[in-house]
Amino acid sequence: MKPHKISFVGAGKVAWHLSRHFEKAGHSVCEIYSRNPKSAAQLADSLYHAEVVSDPDFRESKADIFLLTVSDDAIESVCRACIFPPNAVVAHTSGGRPIEALSVLQNPKGVLYPLQTFSKGKEIDISQVPFCLEFDSDEAEQALYDLAASVSKSIYLADSHQRRVLHVAAVFACNFTNHLWTLSQEILQNENLDFDILKPLIAETIEKTMNLGPENAQTGPAARKDMLTIEQHSLYLSGNPALQNIYKVLTDSILKHTP
Amino acid sequence: MKPHKISFVGAGKVAWHLSRHFEKAGHSVCEIYSRNPKSAAQLADSLYHAEVVSDPDFRESKADIFLLTVSDDAIESVCRACIFPPNAVVAHTSGGRPIEALSVLQNPKGVLYPLQTFSKGKEIDISQVPFCLEFDSDEAEQALYDLAASVSKSIYLADSHQRRVLHVAAVFACNFTNHLWTLSQEILQNENLDFDILKPLIAETIEKTMNLGPENAQTGPAARKDMLTIEQHSLYLSGNPALQNIYKVLTDSILKHTP
């Protein structure tokens, strides 16, 4: 594997994790640019050679890969604000944005989408993280494949449409499930009950899903078509119409999925 | 701990798991009664001394505890159909039904609610399962506490209202999350993508929730108020209005929870 020189535009959680893993794998991180100079400085401090730059004019940069680790909404404006060296590969890391979000650039372009949720300060086994790649040229393909393969065993080619679908599916599988745990915790807290009592059940539920597949692991009143319990739950939730509506919508969907 | 003689009315998954664990803990299972004689026979075959009975007249039974492991909807009709020995403790195992579901009986009564999801043929660490107890008498308290404490380290007193709340919270935390995984899998399958690619992300999501609490682990477009991505996801789902509505309802709820 060829060691690359990488610069990051954006110093959030994705940059935080990718930069240290790419360094560990033998690449070097040259520059960090962020609208928030404090985040950029903190990230640079945690790396070997990285330098904070205050101006997104990278014409003098030695980096051969620029990773745009900014929020989805900011990718296009960042492309307009930055000046990259002409032959450097520029890639964003978003599941939700097409490669065309970079189209204002003349550089070789691509997407390096790590299909994982990152938290500051929490280590992750990067070797298990699926990296979804897209590129518009051989240069971008080679560079992004080098990066992904140097840290992960799980590499997929996924075009913008497939990435969008993966992202939508991930919202259902992760963001929405986490929110349901938040709602569940609120229901318990309102009655002075502790969320911890549910943790063995949650752990077993996920184990069943992973082993049997979710379609074979469904339990609960809707899967049993236990309409009396459903009615009583709905009555209990009637003081909170938003919560009651979530209960109704998901219950209806389970009923519709149950033969 | 006093060894008890237990009979089961109902031979489903709950009976399957509880009966073998109670046997292992030194109790004996006397009788199994089920509307489905084949299920009753299969369960009895897997136990040491259990006998299948075809008539729910238990006046001659030696059991001192009767566990009604039937569906929530069936508890009251089972109480009317069965004749129990006058001093035996009778308990149901439902999170969703009050102790009053047993009120037609003259016996000491209670509820022994294992807060776990059971699958036939999949072993479970019963010592971690929270048992929620309720009782109407000292006899029922003693008998149900003996049973629960003989297999689990995690025993809670929970009255019918608290049990209802736990059950509602468990529906959100487990049944609905599992259904979201089913929907996520369907979204991927429609595009010939494999659900396995999401498994590292799901595993990390649950680990974050367990460590940080779900309210601190929320990520995704709604938590970032990334309205452009939300709009594009919604557009992608527009061919399936039910799915699009679930996306909208849960996204709105996350937005409302995000400061």
Side-chain angles (χ1 to χ4, degrees):
Chain A
M1 182 225 46
K2 186 186 154 196
H4 289 276
K5 295 185 196 310
I6 312 162
S7 287
F8 285 85
V9 177
K13 291 178 285 190
V14 175
W16 191 268
H17 280 265
L18 292 186
S19 60
R20 46 213 303 124
H21 285 291
F22 289 147
E23 268 199 352
K24 273 188 212 155
H27 308 288
S28 48
V29 177
C30 303
E31 291 122 347
I32 313 281
Y33 172 75
S34 167
R35 277 179 306 184
N36 179 341
K38 211 170 139 185
S39 301
Q42 280 176 346
L43 177 54
D45 281 351
S46 79
L47 299 166
Y48 289 117
H49 308 293
E51 192 185 328
V52 176
V53 294
S54 56
D55 180 356
D57 178 349
F58 292 100
R59 276 174 292 186
E60 304 297 313
S61 172
K62 291 187 173 132
D64 65 316
I65 305 178
F66 287 81
L67 293 180
L68 311 186
T69 50
V70 297
S71 69
D72 287 7
D73 286 349
I75 294 171
E76 303 197 21
S77 64
V78 154
C79 287
R80 286 190 297 270
C82 293
I83 311 178
F84 298 110
N87 298 319
V89 170
V90 181
H92 73 66
T93 58
S94 159
R97 281 292 172 281
I99 192 170
E100 287 78 21
L102 307 172
S103 58
V104 70
L105 303 173
Q106 302 301 315
N107 300 63
K109 291 177 278 289
V111 181
L112 175 103
Y113 171 45
L115 186 49
Q116 186 49 284
T117 172
F118 296 105
S119 323
K120 250 177 194 156
K122 181 175 182 314
E123 282 304 325
I124 212 160
D125 180 1
I126 195 93
S127 71
Q128 302 298 321
V129 173
F131 277 79
C132 302
L133 305 185
E134 186 178 11
F135 29 78
D136 73 346
S137 56
D138 293 347
E139 298 92 310
E141 174 178 8
Q142 189 61 55
L144 298 180
Y145 188 84
D146 280 352
L147 285 194
S150 68
V151 296
S152 172
K153 293 182 279 194
S154 179
I155 299 177
Y156 294 82
L157 299 185
D159 64 22
S160 293
H161 176 71
Q162 288 172 313
R163 223 167 42 245
R164 164 85 45 86
V165 175
L166 281 169
H167 197 214
V168 172
V171 168
F172 279 82
C174 298
N175 304 152
F176 288 169
T177 51
N178 185 78
H179 184 59
L180 289 175
W181 292 321
T182 304
L183 297 177
S184 175
Q185 180 173 257
E186 287 176 3
I187 291 167
L188 293 175
Q189 282 172 344
N190 279 341
E191 307 268 1
N192 294 313
L193 290 161
D194 190 344
F195 186 58
D196 282 353
I197 194 177
L198 285 185
K199 287 185 174 176
L201 181 59
I202 294 172
E204 178 66 15
T205 300
I206 193 161
E207 202 186 310
K208 262 172 88 165
T209 290
M210 294 296 187
N211 292 339
L212 305 177
E215 74 283 20
N216 302 313
Q218 189 64 52
T219 59
R224 288 194 306 271
K225 296 193 189 283
D226 176 353
M227 304 314 286
L228 181 57
T229 297
I230 290 170
E231 204 178 295
Q232 289 174 338
H233 285 181
S234 182
L235 190 66
Y236 172 73
L237 295 169
S238 58
N240 186 332
L243 210 54
Q244 193 186 32
N245 187 42
I246 292 171
Y247 187 92
K248 180 181 171 8
V249 165
L250 289 172
T251 293
D252 287 350
S253 184
I254 297 172
L255 288 169
K256 221 173 59 186
H257 275 73
T258 307
Chain B
M1 182 227 43
K2 186 185 155 198
H4 288 276
K5 295 187 197 308
I6 312 163
S7 288
F8 284 85
V9 177
K13 291 179 285 190
V14 174
W16 191 268
H17 281 265
L18 292 185
S19 60
R20 45 212 302 125
H21 286 291
F22 288 148
E23 269 198 351
K24 273 190 212 155
H27 308 288
S28 48
V29 177
C30 303
E31 291 123 347
I32 314 279
Y33 172 77
S34 167
R35 276 178 307 183
N36 179 342
K38 209 169 140 187
S39 301
Q42 280 176 347
L43 178 53
D45 281 350
S46 77
L47 299 166
Y48 290 117
H49 308 293
E51 193 184 328
V52 176
V53 295
S54 57
D55 180 357
D57 178 348
F58 292 100
R59 276 174 292 189
E60 305 297 312
S61 171
K62 289 186 173 137
D64 64 316
I65 305 179
F66 287 80
L67 293 180
L68 311 186
T69 50
V70 296
S71 70
D72 287 7
D73 286 348
I75 294 171
E76 302 196 21
S77 64
V78 154
C79 286
R80 285 190 297 271
C82 294
I83 311 178
F84 297 110
N87 297 320
V89 170
V90 181
H92 73 65
T93 58
S94 159
R97 280 291 173 282
I99 192 170
E100 287 78 22
L102 308 173
S103 57
V104 70
L105 303 173
Q106 302 301 314
N107 299 63
K109 290 178 280 288
V111 181
L112 175 104
Y113 171 46
L115 186 49
Q116 186 50 283
T117 173
F118 297 104
S119 323
K120 250 177 197 161
K122 182 175 183 313
E123 282 303 326
I124 211 159
D125 179 1
I126 194 93
S127 72
Q128 302 298 322
V129 173
F131 277 79
C132 303
L133 306 185
E134 185 178 11
F135 30 77
D136 73 346
S137 56
D138 293 348
E139 297 93 311
E141 174 178 8
Q142 189 61 54
L144 298 180
Y145 187 83
D146 281 352
L147 284 195
S150 69
V151 296
S152 173
K153 294 182 279 194
S154 180
I155 298 176
Y156 294 83
L157 299 186
D159 64 22
S160 294
H161 176 72
Q162 288 171 314
R163 221 166 43 245
R164 163 86 45 87
V165 174
L166 281 169
H167 196 215
V168 172
V171 168
F172 279 81
C174 299
N175 304 153
F176 288 169
T177 52
N178 185 77
H179 183 61
L180 289 175
W181 292 321
T182 304
L183 296 177
S184 176
Q185 180 173 258
E186 287 176 5
I187 290 167
L188 294 174
Q189 282 172 343
N190 279 341
E191 306 269 0
N192 294 314
L193 291 162
D194 190 344
F195 186 58
D196 281 354
I197 193 177
L198 285 186
K199 287 186 174 176
L201 182 58
I202 294 172
E204 178 66 16
T205 301
I206 194 163
E207 202 185 309
K208 264 172 87 165
T209 290
M210 294 296 188
N211 291 338
L212 306 176
E215 74 283 21
N216 302 313
Q218 189 65 52
T219 59
R224 288 194 305 272
K225 296 192 189 284
D226 177 352
M227 303 314 287
L228 182 55
T229 297
I230 290 169
E231 206 176 294
Q232 289 174 338
H233 285 182
S234 181
L235 191 66
Y236 172 73
L237 296 169
S238 58
N240 186 333
L243 210 53
Q244 193 185 34
N245 186 43
I246 292 171
Y247 187 92
K248 181 182 169 11
V249 164
L250 290 172
T251 293
D252 287 350
S253 184
I254 296 173
L255 288 169
K256 223 173 60 186
H257 274 73
T258 307

